[in-house]
Amino acid sequence: MLPPLPPRRKVPPPPAAAIPRTIAARIASLQLEPAETAKPPPIPARPTAGRQSAVSRVDAVNTRPPPTWTRLSAEQLARALARPPPPPPKRFPVSSSPPDAKVSQRRLPPRFSDPAPYKDPELDAISDRGPDSGSCPECRDFAHVDSHAALFPRHSVTSLDKLAYDLTEPFPSELEKARAIFTWLHHNIVYDAEAFFSGNVQPSTAESTLSSGLAVCDGYAGLFQSLAERLGMQVHKVTGHGKGVGWAAVNSDQPIPPYSGNHAWNCAFLDGEWHLIDSCWGAGALDGSVYQQRFSPMWFTSSPREFGRTHFPEDPSYQLLSEDDGGPVSWEDYIMEPAGPIVFKDFYRLNLWPTALQPSTSTIRGGTRVVFYVFKRCEHMSTNELDNYVYMISVGNDQVPLEVVAEGGWGADVYIPRGSGEVSLFYVTTVNGQDAKGIGVRKLRSALGRTAMSFGGLAKWTVV
């Protein structure tokens, strides 16, 4: 018989991987998902006990060690930012008008033949974003970004480098990083109304704006650009004309005013797409000669066509309008655009679309039937009855509810008597003391004249 086999030698297990001890080594060992699949981090749950004060939370954040990432050299940064803005589309002669732009791929109701005017908003809308719909900035929920950006008061900031890192470190996408900067400027930089009205506006740098906490439009745009470039993003400061304080529509029988620049904003290349951002108008607005800090997120998400209604850049390439969009708008078409209806702040807060509001003119002819249309800013936003208020037209003593239309918005065909004075678009805010969102037209009709209601104004026209 053969001798028994010797016991099989056991192969020792491979040594456990050493745990990286430095921050840089830990970051290098991580297995990250592609940026395209990354989702915004959830809002952390608020503790039920042992809550920290706002000051202690800020102190805790600011005691984190500074980042260890390597700062690019001047030559490397220049190469990283060398990508030029989009090439200027073919320009139209000043005396001619560009072809009508396709405002949306959605099928819209028939529009008036007059150019669609636009009333400069009051710049005090408050964000009321809908659910996140992927990469669409119009309906994306930035609440977690906005909450994080409020944690870093200006007086606690030690440097622009650290501020840029702290503001954006949790967020994977450039769009979220830019939003954090946009929101931080609202909380921490105040418009220098005294310098503006006295004509004593001084040149500023990103450092001087951070130090003083005061700026006009150029300071907002400069600080936004400086923080974004520290993160490797490509951002340009754009100068041109803005239909802001003191602007009034020019009558068609008046001569065309010469071009004059009075405003500054930003053009940013974020996640492979160009965006137009006005952090000055997004931070607040002037009420007479007094500045009011009021968050207006529409100036972070506006489309180039909508943004261009109130902004005219010196360089036409910064309109971001391709030939398919109708090409760049001339100064004549921009400055001579007729006045539109008066639009109130709740119109923007409810995420309605000013470009598609009908009638688009500021006046309505009496003794005729007029069709009114209202749309959401984005096709992803719900028009379901349960998710919306009831919109109504008020003319004289009559109130006519708007019904959902096939095109995806709300509409109503209303007779406008001569001598009516004004026509108002409003929404029902409460019924019998309860929030009226989701009540629907049928229930509202049965409650009219029988139950106490409150209302909010959205837009107004003048009857001629």
Side-chain angles (χ1 to χ4, degrees):
M1 297 181 59
L2 297 175
L5 297 173
R8 179 174 296 178
R9 185 178 59 180
K10 295 183 178 180
V11 179
I19 299 176
R21 295 185 178 278
T22 65
I23 294 177
R26 291 182 183 179
I27 293 176
S29 66
L30 294 177
Q31 298 295 323
L32 300 179
E33 296 181 358
E36 291 77 11
T37 62
K39 295 183 178 179
I43 303 174
R46 182 176 294 179
T48 57
R51 293 181 178 174
Q52 294 178 304
S53 67
V55 174
S56 64
R57 287 199 306 271
V58 171
D59 292 340
V61 171
N62 291 327
T63 55
R64 290 184 294 174
T68 60
W69 40 270
T70 303
R71 185 175 178 84
L72 297 176
S73 67
E75 181 181 356
Q76 290 172 322
L77 182 60
R79 286 200 304 267
L81 302 179
R83 185 190 301 109
K90 181 180 178 182
R91 300 194 66 175
F92 293 95
V94 174
S95 59
S96 63
S97 299
D100 294 336
K102 297 179 180 178
V103 176
S104 172
Q105 296 299 321
R106 290 180 287 168
R107 183 166 61 91
L108 298 179
R111 300 178 66 85
F112 284 17
S113 58
D114 295 334
Y118 183 79
K119 174 66 179 178
D120 183 35
E122 298 179 18
L123 310 181
D124 54 359
I126 300 174
S127 179
D128 187 20
R129 312 307 295 172
D132 190 348
S133 296
S135 60
C136 175
E138 288 285 356
C139 53
R140 186 167 185 171
D141 186 358
F142 287 103
H144 63 294
V145 181
D146 296 338
S147 298
H148 178 78
L151 297 177
F152 306 94
R154 184 182 59 84
H155 64 78
S156 68
V157 176
T158 58
S159 71
L160 289 171
D161 283 345
K162 192 169 189 303
L163 174 61
Y165 177 83
D166 288 341
L167 276 178
T168 63
E169 184 268 337
F171 309 121
S173 73
E174 292 180 327
L175 187 67
E176 290 171 309
K177 295 177 190 293
R179 175 62 175 234
I181 299 172
F182 177 87
T183 304
W184 185 90
L185 289 169
H186 154 69
H187 287 298
N188 294 278
I189 305 300
V190 175
Y191 191 84
D192 195 347
E194 180 178 352
F196 175 78
F197 285 109
S198 66
N200 190 33
V201 176
Q202 300 296 319
S204 64
T205 64
E207 289 77 9
S208 67
T209 300
L210 176 65
S211 176
S212 67
L214 296 171
V216 293
C217 55
D218 186 78
Y220 281 92
L223 183 51
F224 184 97
Q225 179 184 23
S226 178
L227 291 171
E229 287 184 346
R230 281 171 162 77
L231 302 167
M233 292 187 280
Q234 183 183 0
V235 176
H236 300 271
K237 183 168 69 173
V238 183
T239 56
H241 182 274
K243 295 178 180 177
V245 175
W247 178 81
V250 181
N251 294 330
S252 58
D253 58 350
Q254 292 179 316
I256 301 172
Y259 168 80
S260 62
N262 62 359
H263 194 41
W265 57 95
N266 294 107
C267 180
F269 193 72
L270 308 174
D271 301 319
E273 295 184 1
W274 290 99
H275 295 260
L276 295 170
I277 299 170
D278 190 336
S279 54
C280 177
W281 287 11
L286 286 169
D287 184 3
S289 60
V290 179
Y291 178 70
Q292 302 289 339
Q293 278 184 289
R294 301 168 184 167
F295 192 46
S296 184
M298 69 168 289
W299 297 114
F300 183 78
T301 60
S302 294
S303 67
R305 175 64 63 183
E306 186 175 2
F307 196 91
R309 295 293 183 94
T310 52
H311 297 70
F312 186 86
E314 294 178 8
D315 183 342
S317 66
Y318 289 119
Q319 293 187 28
L320 303 186
L321 296 176
S322 66
E323 295 292 351
D324 291 339
D325 295 324
V329 177
S330 69
W331 168 253
E332 176 184 352
D333 292 330
Y334 163 82
I335 201 65
M336 297 299 292
E337 187 174 32
I342 298 174
V343 177
F344 301 109
K345 64 180 181 180
D346 280 358
F347 190 93
Y348 302 95
R349 189 181 66 83
L350 295 178
N351 292 316
L352 299 177
W353 190 16
T355 306
L357 176 62
Q358 292 289 314
S360 61
T361 53
S362 62
T363 59
I364 297 175
R365 188 169 299 280
T368 61
R369 298 197 69 87
V370 177
V371 178
F372 295 85
Y373 286 109
V374 178
F375 291 87
K376 286 286 189 178
R377 289 179 60 88
C378 177
E379 61 187 353
H380 299 122
M381 294 179 179
S382 172
T383 56
N384 188 286
E385 186 177 84
L386 296 177
D387 299 326
N388 290 277
Y389 293 93
V390 175
Y391 308 114
M392 304 185 74
I393 294 295
S394 174
V395 51
N397 295 323
D398 296 331
Q399 290 81 39
V400 182
L402 276 68
E403 306 270 3
V404 174
V405 296
E407 291 79 4
W410 296 265
D413 187 339
V414 183
Y415 177 75
I416 309 298
R418 289 185 174 88
S420 301
E422 293 180 343
V423 176
S424 298
L425 170 67
F426 64 95
Y427 70 110
V428 183
T429 59
T430 65
V431 174
N432 200 22
Q434 302 296 316
D435 187 2
K437 178 184 283 189
I439 189 174
V441 173
R442 182 178 299 178
K443 291 183 179 179
L444 180 71
R445 290 184 189 277
S446 63
L448 282 173
R450 300 182 178 89
T451 307
M453 299 181 184
S454 60
F455 310 94
L458 299 175
K460 183 171 65 175
W461 295 262
T462 300
V463 179
V464 294

